[in-house]
Each structure stands twice: as C-alpha cells, then as structure tokens.
Amino acid sequence: MKRVRAENPESTAHMIDIHCHILPGIDDGPLSIAESLVMVDQALADGIKTIVATPHTFNGVYTTPSEAVTGGVDSLNRILTDKNIRLRICPGAEVHTCDVFSRKIIDGLAGTINHTGKYVLVEFPFQTINPGTSEELFQLKLKGITPIIAHPERNILFQRDIDQLYDIVGMGCLVQITAMSITGELGTAAMGCAHTLLQRHLAHVIASDAHSPGSRPPILSNGVDAAADILGSMAEARKMVTDIPRAILCGDSIEIPDPLRPLEMKKKWWQVFR
Ligand SMILES: [Fe+2]
C-alpha cells in the first residue's frame, strides 16, 4: 500500500489530544504523578502539546465530580510549569450514557471540553446503546452543547451495523475515533469499523484515549499516518488532530462534510473491474 506521508506545511502544527486519561489516581488512568509525567514525555515526543484530561464520569465505577477534574488539571499544570515542560492540560470528562446524562452535563456535574459549554465527550457502552440515548443527545444539542461520541468503532453494535451512526451524526454530533483502533492495535473489528468510518466521513477527530505509559500511551502520529493512507490525504488526517480539536477547545463551530453512503463512494479501479 502506498504510504501518504508527504511533508506539508500543516505537519508543523502541534497536535491536540482531546481524549486522554492523564490525571493520576482519579480513574483507571495513571496511578501516580510519575506515570502522568512519563505520559507527558511520550506525548511531547509525538508532537502533542495540548491534552484534554477526560476521566471516566458516571460510568458506574467512577463518578468524578467536575471540581475533582479542575483540581487535578490545575495541580498537574503547576507541576509542568515548575518543570518548564511546554505541554498544557485542559479539563474535560468522558461522560457515560447513564440515566439523564444530558441533565448532569447541563447542570455542570460533568464537564464540557475545556469548560466552554460547547462540546462534551460522550461514551456509549461497548456492547449496546442505552435506551433513550438519542433523546439525551438531542437535549444536549438543544442547549447548544455538541456531543462528541467517543470511539464508536469499539462498540459491537456499530461494528455490525453503522447505520445508527448516520442518524447521530445527522443530528449534529461529532465522532472521535481512537488512534490505536485505526492502526489495528485494538483488534481487527475495531480497525475495520474505524476504517469504514473514515471512508464514509463519519469520523471527525482522532484521539489517543491513553490510559498508561505502557499499553495505552498518548501517541497520535501512528493513527494519523494510517488515516492518511485511508483518506488519501495527510492534510485531511492532520486536521483531525490539529484544526478540528483546536476549534473544539475554543468552543468554535466546525463544518463537517456530509457522510457518504456506500453507493456514493467512489469505486477503486479494482472494484470497477470486479
Ligand atoms: Fe477514555
């Protein structure tokens, strides 16, 4: 396969990771400040200079009050400043689709990304979609909050049938796919679904969903390279870790392309002759 790794001016823009479990001892992320700092080093080496801390929230195991995230972010940023490390942590949350999760977000019990009140990272269960989820997402949109669906390529239902995702994106939600899904490091089912989402313009942001320096590090570049191969454009893949996450951090609006249905997708030359 031809690798799309052409140098382009955008390659110098620093990357932003909008989904990362970087705060120590708050969820199933790093256990200590030392581990968080190793993850920061890994991110910097990869070209990431801004990380949104997104601890699990209301997932049945971790509640993670918004104030706890703010405190953890301030504390880690102080350490980075003291050490003259040029990476910044912003507050966020990975909010599980629990009962009335929209109300919890609207009431500020779970934080929006960078606390702009404009975008929030929402996680579905891996095996199902909870009843009423669409209505909850719609309630958020009515309040001007855009849900960003975290790694749907890892949900078994979307792996089997992504039609429901067309409706969710059609409602105005964004989709985040995980770098290690694109590269195949999270299994073939997640990889196949991630590639389909890219091909059909149903994925808008690439993030690491990092949890540790070992098996789940904050690395985006490998996923971007793999996405560039699928999209046929390094510039388009880079936007998914630069321009689009930057707009999300600032609470700016984002224009996304219409999703493609299979019949609308251009055939490759070998498909034409099949
Ligand atoms: Fe996560």
Side-chain angles (χ1 to χ4, degrees):
M1 183 188 290
K2 177 173 162 280
R3 300 292 294 182
V4 180
R5 201 163 189 169
E7 289 298 320
N8 70 73
E10 288 187 69
S11 65
T12 56
H14 80 250
M15 293 192 285
I16 298 166
D17 187 1
I18 66 153
H19 182 173
C20 186
H21 302 260
I22 188 81
L23 299 180
I26 199 165
D27 62 355
D28 56 351
L31 297 171
S32 63
I33 291 169
E35 275 196 0
S36 294
L37 291 177
V38 174
M39 291 173 74
V40 165
D41 284 345
Q42 291 171 323
L44 277 170
D46 198 49
I48 299 166
K49 290 191 178 173
T50 308
I51 288 176
V52 181
T54 51
H56 292 291
T57 303
F58 300 124
N59 73 343
V61 180
Y62 303 103
T63 303
T64 319
S66 193
E67 313 85 66
V69 180
T70 307
V73 166
D74 289 348
S75 171
L76 189 52
N77 273 330
R78 268 196 301 275
I79 293 168
L80 297 180
T81 302
D82 289 346
K83 291 180 176 293
N84 203 22
I85 295 173
R86 294 168 67 87
L87 181 145
R88 285 298 160 263
I89 312 290
C90 299
E94 182 176 17
V95 187
H96 201 76
T97 55
C98 61
D99 195 30
V100 293
F101 68 90
S102 65
R103 176 48 53 196
K104 290 181 166 75
I105 294 164
I106 291 162
D107 289 348
L109 301 176
T112 55
I113 291 181
N114 208 19
H115 291 179
T116 63
K118 295 294 184 183
Y119 295 93
V120 66
L121 189 67
V122 172
E123 180 191 41
F124 290 10
F126 285 103
Q127 312 273 348
T128 184
I129 299 171
N130 291 333
T133 294
S134 283
E135 177 59 27
E136 291 285 306
L137 297 173
F138 187 63
Q139 289 302 321
L140 288 170
K141 285 297 296 179
L142 285 179
K143 290 288 182 182
I145 303 171
T146 296
I148 302 172
I149 311 304
H151 45 62
E153 79 279 2
R154 301 188 64 197
N155 178 299
I156 287 173
L157 294 188
F158 291 128
Q159 288 171 358
R160 290 179 185 153
D161 178 6
I162 60 169
D163 271 4
Q164 287 188 77
L165 206 53
Y166 281 94
D167 296 336
I168 291 169
V169 170
M171 189 195 297
C173 298
L174 298 178
V175 169
Q176 172 259 308
I177 54 174
T178 296
M180 289 176 74
S181 297
I182 311 170
T183 59
E185 293 164 277
L186 296 177
T188 52
M191 180 177 71
C193 188
H195 291 192
T196 302
L197 296 180
L198 285 164
Q199 288 158 351
R200 298 191 185 185
H201 298 172
L202 283 166
H204 311 104
V205 191
I206 298 170
S208 75
D209 193 12
H211 280 70
S212 68
S215 56
R216 302 282 300 276
I219 306 289
L220 293 176
S221 56
N222 295 338
V224 172
D225 287 348
D229 283 342
I230 293 157
L231 297 170
S233 165
M234 177 56 82
E236 287 303 308
R238 289 279 307 180
K239 275 186 198 168
M240 300 176 79
V241 292
T242 55
D243 297 3
I244 295 171
R246 188 167 294 110
I248 290 168
L249 273 188
C250 296
D252 293 340
S253 58
I254 296 168
E255 277 195 30
I256 59 169
D258 289 334
L260 295 176
R261 296 278 177 177
L263 286 175
E264 299 167 315
M265 296 169 70
K266 283 184 193 159
K267 286 189 172 180
K268 310 269 190 200
W269 65 267
W270 61 85
Q271 294 170 314
V272 172
F273 289 101
R274 211 177 258 172

